[in-house]
Amino acid sequence: MYRKTFSAALFSITALHLCGCATRHTASEAAAAPYTGPRITLHAAPGTNAIADLSDERTTSAIAFLNARRAELGLSALASDPLIAKAAQAHASYLEVNRAAGHEERAGLPGFSAADVTARVRLHTQTAGASEVFAVYGGQRAPALPIEEIFDSPYHRGAMLYDWGRAGEAVASGNSQIVVVDFADPQPAIGATELVAYPYNGQKDAPLAWQDIEQPDPMGPDTRYRGAILGYPITLSGGTNAHIELATFDLRDPHGKKVRCQIAPLTAADAGRNTAVCTPFSPLRPHTTYSVRATGLLTQQFGVANAPFDLEWSFTTSAAHARSWLQQPHA
């Protein structure tokens, strides 16, 4: 049996070093100033037709994989930047030599380059802001495409669908396989009254399941679901300054039966998070079309505040999950 050996800290996204927090508003403020602005809509997703060649997009680089997903969603491509890749490689090496887990580095330890991702990227190129995702695999199991498993984790997915302009990737392979992707240069592209759904409207190959290894845990703190195989997390993401609060999330199968789904709780630390999550308690069924209706509020720091949304879309799942580890028990 293979076991995934992620540390909990590995799935926490580094804080963005730019102004990305949304202003909080109380219920009384919202009542005093009802929203009269434009309607909140889903960002149009062109689907797989937007990808010129699907033959090897799943087996090439992490950035190629992400650009394929972004193309499906109608988002701009990330430019692969060798200078940012140097920052990612430095942190991958630091994690490897120190057997560390985290986005920060400590001065004085072997391989130290800079304390945080923005400082590391700025050693090689100027940027207004930066972010990072990474994962560490140990033992016998290493996924064929680690970035796919990182993308499955909903808050990491939100970071990778963010309005970044450039990215660089690195892999350190020693006793553990470490994959690091750094992002730089916010380039606002998602409209202030748009949200990006994933799985997206009309998608035909949505994954079925995911192992809950995200930190913070979208199922809530101190739950029994940590490490469990759950349904594939469904996300709504906004642009550079978006904050999304889900009020209701209705997920139904083709017979109209409601599928239990956990809305990720918000904490004080979530004020700048641009992604809202609902995770089904059980894996989704293969070759099944699910319908979604999500309601809530969208706030932009420099724009709309407490804008209500009521969005509906549907997606169809893929065949039985190809990742064998999802079919195996985990300690």
Side-chain angles (χ1 to χ4, degrees), residues 20 49 78 153 155 157 160 175 185 193 198 230:
N49 291 335
L78 298 163
S153 296
Y155 293 135
R157 186 189 310 159
M160 292 185 277
N175 294 328
D185 290 351
T193 57
Y198 197 90
L230 303 171

Side-chain angles (χ1 to χ4, degrees), residues 23-240:
T23 302
R24 293 283 189 166
H25 296 267
T26 65
S28 60
E29 288 174 326
Y35 179 75
T36 58
R39 185 170 64 94
I40 306 303
T41 61
L42 284 178
H43 184 82
T48 54
N49 291 335
I51 305 174
D53 181 11
L54 284 171
S55 61
D56 62 358
E57 59 89 9
R58 292 172 61 87
T59 57
T60 55
S61 71
I63 294 174
F65 173 86
L66 293 180
N67 280 339
R69 302 289 75 72
R70 292 173 68 94
E72 286 183 89
L73 289 163
L75 302 177
S76 59
L78 298 163
S80 181
D81 191 314
L83 298 178
I84 299 175
K86 288 183 179 181
Q89 187 63 62
H91 193 53
S93 300
Y94 172 90
L95 295 173
E96 174 68 23
V97 71
N98 293 293
R99 298 185 178 182
H103 298 284
E104 286 70 40
E105 296 184 7
R106 289 176 54 191
L109 290 181
F112 173 82
S113 56
D116 58 60
V117 59
T118 300
R120 289 192 292 272
V121 170
R122 285 176 176 166
L123 291 175
H124 305 282
T125 180
Q126 284 300 308
T127 180
S131 185
E132 179 178 84
V133 297
F134 72 93
V136 175
Y137 296 82
Q140 295 177 313
R141 199 195 84 76
L145 195 61
I147 193 64
E148 185 172 11
E149 294 188 11
I150 302 174
F151 185 81
D152 289 348
S153 296
Y155 293 135
H156 280 60
R157 186 189 310 159
M160 292 185 277
L161 298 181
Y162 193 82
D163 288 333
W164 294 114
R166 298 182 289 157
E169 63 186 273
V171 175
S173 297
N175 294 328
S176 298
Q177 179 174 330
I178 300 171
V179 180
V180 178
V181 183
D182 285 354
F183 304 90
D185 290 351
Q187 295 185 354
I190 301 171
T193 57
E194 290 184 318
L195 292 176
V196 176
Y198 197 90
Y200 55 82
N201 187 37
Q203 186 166 340
K204 303 297 184 184
D205 60 351
L208 309 179
W210 167 73
Q211 186 181 19
D212 181 10
I213 49 176
E214 182 79 279
Q215 182 65 31
D217 190 340
M219 299 300 287
D222 304 319
T223 71
R224 62 185 178 88
Y225 297 103
R226 187 77 182 160
I229 304 301
L230 303 171
Y232 194 74
I234 303 167
T235 54
L236 279 172
S237 299
T240 307

